[in-house]
Amino acid sequence: MAQMSKAEILFNERFSRHREEFEALYSSLYDDHESYDQLVKAMIAAAKARPADLRRLDAAREQDPEWYKRGDMFGMTMYTDLFAGDLKKLAEKIPYLKEQKLTYLHLMPLLQMPHPNNDGGYAVEDFDTVDPRLGTNEDLAALTKKLRKAGISLCLDFVMNHTASTHRWAKAAQAGDPEYQDYYFCYSDRTIPDKLEETVPQVFPNTAPGNFTWNEQMGKWVMTQFYPFQWDLNYRNPKVLVAMMSSVMHLANLGVEVFRIDAVPYIWKELGTDCRNLPQVHTIVRMLRIILECVCPAVILKGEVVMAPKELAAYFGTPDKPECHMLYNVSVMVNLWSALASQDTRLLKAQLDALNGLPDNCWFVNYLRCHDDVGWGLDEDVERGLGIDPLKHKIFLYHFFEGAVPGSWSMGELYNYDEPSQDARNCGTTASFCGIEKALITHDRPALDKAVDRDLMLHRTIAFLRGFPMLNCGDEIAQLNGWDYKEDPDRIEDSRNLHRSKFDWDKATLRKQKGTLQNRLWEGMESLREERKDPCFAPDAWVSTWDTANDAVLAMVRKIDGETLVGLFNFSNAPQHVHLNGSPQVMDALDADLEPYETKFVRR
């Protein structure tokens, strides 16, 4: 019998703590011992193949499991090609990232994809291979090593719900192979699809209506909840689970430290349900968490869960049986923009109260803009309780941010407008949404000053919230909308390309030149990092909103070990006065005056 390696011994020690639960989780979904054995073998193989430097990182993170909750965490998201061209060139730009003291870099999908129809990289052809246009697996491993040396953890998307229709599994299914047809949901007639359509909402009712697409070559209907070229995976088939988990481990061994698991609420389908947030989803996410803790414990999970706060806590699991380490704070992002347009923070405060009321293991990545649109998924029950008409408010918001409401300073575009429901979303960069683009076009200096104040006030707000802030690449230099996408036939059909434009390196050179727009934003972002050095940004700090007796101003309180920090954020275009009542357990009463879009930090 061959002697076990140190890596295998360590894996066995870790797995022994989880084996009983892992087997039970697997057995609750599948009756297939062969696939279970294949999964465990894949875990052992990945543990043995893990590079030595990553094993050292594993050991360090096991001693510091809440490393991602530190106050100095500061993130950025970007597309590799738009920022630098490819992975090798991006590695050359690390000094620019270090200059911003980034600790977290989220690169948009970079695995092999079809061109041009790839949904921004979320249609994946090969989960184990970097797209040739961006580089090689070796380039990715080299980049992650350089980022680690710079103190930056790399996050990649892992698209769990679907593959591209050009994936090798989908090609085999289209060629008539029943084994690979069982990797997806394929039906010869409309009986099951019609039953599912009765209860499953449409993701893109305007641009991609329905949840099934007819495949002529295969002669079957295939489930495609997102776009016709994205085929939903069938996780009822254990071979799908084994293959996808193996790919996660492979990417982790290339140095990926954070996985953003995409569209995870959708991955389990059940007749008679809306196929969202089903219990089996949590079983799979819990299994993934165990796999990471046993094979590569330095690696953490970030969930993309675009759901109401009541649905979010489940994706963190429990302290004893955790799932995701953190989630994208989608709901607060939407409420921030709503508060800015309406100059009313009541909805935002209610949403923050709901999130702050979640268990202590819930942690968030806070952001204003990302690769995606802004969808106006506000809490309609709360809106009605505040006397706000949900539909009228949504219509106001999407017209405001496209610049079609009198008095709007925003420049953006609609996305996915649906006339029957009057639903729509918005596209645009942070700077353009805040009025910087319009002020520059009209040469209105006072308007520009206010637009910059809006921009920085929003960023200071996300930096104060529970979790850590993440910039969208270009926010730090006030990058504007890229209207030239309309001149590209491959991009014109998707208005999200408005905020997916090439990074403006010429503008970036102005970041250190006093008096420039870029310098004002750059120094503003530096102030965010300084703000978060305060001891009140410790992971276990108490965080709460506070009543200001003024709906235009949001107040947040952070408290730890006798230290209390109050953040005041004026979301209105006018000066405001606030009064905060005192509390014997928290702080003395406070009165303050704020200029339009001003932020104040007060020590109590």
Side-chain angles (χ1 to χ4, degrees):
M1 184 175 178
Q3 187 175 0
M4 286 194 294
S5 65
K6 288 183 179 179
E8 194 169 355
I9 293 170
L10 184 55
F11 168 80
N12 285 336
E13 289 176 357
R14 291 168 176 156
F15 191 46
S16 66
R17 298 193 289 268
H18 297 288
R19 186 186 299 273
E20 186 175 341
E21 182 194 355
F22 193 73
E23 289 177 351
L25 291 166
Y26 180 90
S27 298
S28 72
L29 299 178
Y30 311 112
D31 183 17
D32 185 329
H33 299 294
E34 183 179 346
S35 291
Y36 176 81
D37 291 340
Q38 288 177 351
L39 179 56
V40 174
K41 286 178 182 177
M43 293 164 65
I44 295 170
K48 291 169 68 175
R50 193 148 170 83
D53 60 332
L54 294 177
R55 290 181 198 166
R56 289 193 292 272
L57 184 64
D58 290 337
R61 295 264 170 91
E62 284 183 306
Q63 298 302 312
D64 182 22
E66 294 197 332
W67 61 272
Y68 59 94
K69 292 185 176 182
R70 291 194 299 263
D72 65 353
M73 285 294 290
F74 196 74
M76 177 174 282
T77 182
M78 64 174 61
Y79 279 97
T80 300
D81 55 341
L82 298 178
F83 180 68
D86 59 32
L87 293 173
K88 283 184 177 178
K89 292 175 182 173
L90 194 152
E92 296 171 1
K93 301 293 187 182
I94 288 177
Y96 178 81
L97 305 180
K98 283 185 67 177
E99 203 177 324
Q100 298 178 74
K101 301 182 179 65
L102 293 187
T103 60
Y104 174 101
L105 178 66
H106 178 187
L107 292 181
M108 289 293 99
L110 49 72
L111 299 178
Q112 188 170 312
M113 64 190 82
H115 295 278
N117 292 325
N118 56 50
D119 187 27
Y122 288 93
V124 181
E125 277 186 343
D126 186 341
F127 289 94
D128 296 317
T129 306
V130 169
D131 191 89
R133 295 191 182 194
L134 299 175
T136 65
N137 286 13
E138 290 73 23
D139 294 335
L140 178 59
L143 173 66
T144 61
K145 185 169 289 191
K146 290 177 180 177
L147 287 170
R148 280 196 303 281
K149 188 175 180 180
I152 302 173
S153 298
L154 181 70
C155 171
L156 279 192
D157 289 86
F158 192 75
V159 184
M160 290 193 68
N161 182 69
H162 45 258
T163 74
S165 59
T166 49
H167 191 285
R168 64 183 183 278
W169 302 339
K171 286 181 177 179
Q174 291 176 77
D177 189 330
E179 178 181 355
Y180 287 100
Q181 288 180 0
D182 193 39
Y183 276 49
Y184 303 97
F185 297 92
C186 304
Y187 303 98
S188 299
D189 60 42
R190 288 287 309 186
T191 304
I192 299 299
D194 285 345
K195 286 183 179 179
L196 282 163
E197 292 284 18
E198 291 175 7
T199 58
V200 179
Q202 298 179 53
V203 177
F204 300 128
N206 187 45
T207 55
N211 290 293
F212 290 87
T213 299
W214 175 255
N215 184 268
E216 191 68 40
Q217 182 183 347
M218 186 167 55
K220 291 188 176 184
W221 293 92
V222 61
M223 193 172 201
T224 56
Q225 287 193 92
F226 287 78
Y227 287 102
F229 52 83
Q230 292 167 308
W231 288 20
D232 284 47
L233 284 165
N234 175 18
Y235 279 90
R236 290 176 172 277
N237 182 347
K239 293 179 181 178
V240 170
L241 180 80
V242 174
M244 295 296 281
M245 296 300 102
S246 297
S247 292
V248 170
M249 291 183 278
H250 170 70
L251 293 169
N253 280 355
L254 292 178
V256 178
E257 296 181 35
V258 186
F259 286 102
R260 173 191 177 271
I261 45 179
D262 178 71
V264 69
Y266 301 80
I267 63 175
W268 193 270
K269 280 72 173 177
E270 191 84 48
L271 269 174
T273 74
D274 63 0
C275 297
R276 308 282 197 274
N277 306 304
L278 297 179
Q280 295 88 343
V281 171
H282 296 286
T283 299
I284 291 172
V285 177
R286 175 62 185 149
M287 289 179 71
L288 175 54
R289 175 72 178 253
I290 290 173
I291 290 169
L292 296 181
E293 289 187 359
C294 295
V295 174
C296 45
V299 178
I300 62 174
L301 293 174
K302 176 174 73 172
E304 187 225 10
V305 183
V306 188
M307 300 289 166
K310 63 183 179 181
E311 303 281 5
L312 299 183
Y315 284 90
F316 291 101
T318 65
D320 292 336
K321 296 180 179 179
E323 295 179 24
C324 292
H325 296 76
M326 54 190 179
L327 298 184
Y328 254 172
N329 207 342
V330 180
S331 59
V332 165
M333 178 271 293
V334 174
N335 276 278
L336 283 163
W337 290 113
S338 170
L340 189 69
S342 63
Q343 302 183 61
D344 183 345
T345 66
R346 290 178 298 162
L347 281 173
L348 172 60
K349 182 180 184 301
Q351 194 76 356
L352 289 170
D353 288 341
L355 294 177
N356 289 334
L358 293 176
D360 291 341
N361 62 318
C362 301
W363 200 251
F364 295 95
V365 178
N366 302 307
Y367 67 105
L368 295 172
R369 294 296 297 112
C370 64
H371 69 288
D372 224 340
D373 55 273
V374 178
W376 301 106
L378 300 167
D379 191 320
E380 295 187 359
D381 290 337
V382 174
E383 287 182 286
R384 293 187 190 97
L386 294 172
I388 299 169
D389 183 296
L391 181 58
K392 287 182 179 178
H393 187 52
K394 181 190 294 186
I395 293 171
F396 161 74
L397 289 171
Y398 64 67
H399 284 319
F400 185 96
F401 284 104
E402 70 165 335
V405 170
S408 170
W409 17 256
S410 175
M411 290 185 70
E413 283 195 304
L414 297 186
Y415 175 70
N416 232 37
Y417 177 71
D418 182 55
E419 189 169 357
S421 66
Q422 292 186 278
D423 189 38
R425 310 176 187 191
N426 285 95
C427 302
T429 68
T430 301
S432 294
F433 273 178
C434 285
I436 290 175
E437 183 171 1
K438 185 173 183 179
L440 289 172
I441 290 172
T442 57
H443 302 285
D444 188 335
R445 184 56 187 258
L448 178 62
D449 289 341
K450 276 198 172 180
V452 170
D453 289 343
R454 285 186 203 104
D455 190 309
L456 291 176
M457 185 275 294
L458 286 178
H459 277 103
R460 287 170 181 143
T461 304
I462 65 167
F464 204 88
L465 303 179
R466 184 179 181 183
F468 72 85
M470 182 177 71
L471 306 182
N472 195 42
C473 184
D475 279 1
E476 75 280 13
I477 58 165
Q479 184 137 332
L480 306 179
N481 290 331
W483 298 97
D484 59 348
Y485 87 90
K486 294 177 180 289
E487 299 167 13
D488 185 341
D490 291 337
R491 303 173 73 226
I492 191 172
E493 295 298 327
D494 190 339
S495 57
R496 290 177 299 180
N497 287 313
L498 181 64
H499 54 261
R500 298 174 180 175
S501 56
K502 285 189 176 181
F503 185 74
D504 194 333
W505 284 101
D506 289 335
K507 290 289 194 300
T509 61
L510 301 174
R511 66 189 183 276
K512 296 181 181 178
Q513 187 174 322
K514 292 292 183 183
T516 63
L517 169 64
Q518 290 71 29
N519 179 253
R520 292 173 69 184
L521 267 294
W522 186 267
E523 291 193 344
M525 300 308 165
E526 175 61 27
S527 73
L528 303 186
R529 295 185 287 273
E530 289 301 313
E531 164 194 335
R532 290 179 58 83
K533 289 180 179 179
D534 191 284
C536 287
F537 287 88
D540 53 346
W542 179 78
V543 184
S544 177
T545 65
W546 209 266
D547 186 24
T548 62
N550 185 333
D551 293 339
V553 181
L554 174 73
M556 296 284 293
V557 179
R558 285 180 160 272
K559 185 177 179 67
I560 190 168
D561 297 335
E563 296 278 346
T564 303
L565 184 67
V566 181
L568 301 173
F569 308 90
N570 183 4
F571 277 73
S572 86
N573 200 30
Q576 300 292 336
H577 177 81
V578 297
H579 172 76
L580 279 68
N581 288 328
S583 164
Q585 291 78 31
V586 182
M587 65 180 188
D588 296 332
L590 167 64
D591 282 88
D593 293 296
L594 294 97
E595 292 301 311
Y597 306 114
E598 185 183 2
T599 299
K600 275 188 177 177
F601 300 121
V602 183
R603 178 74 57 188
R604 302 307 274 174

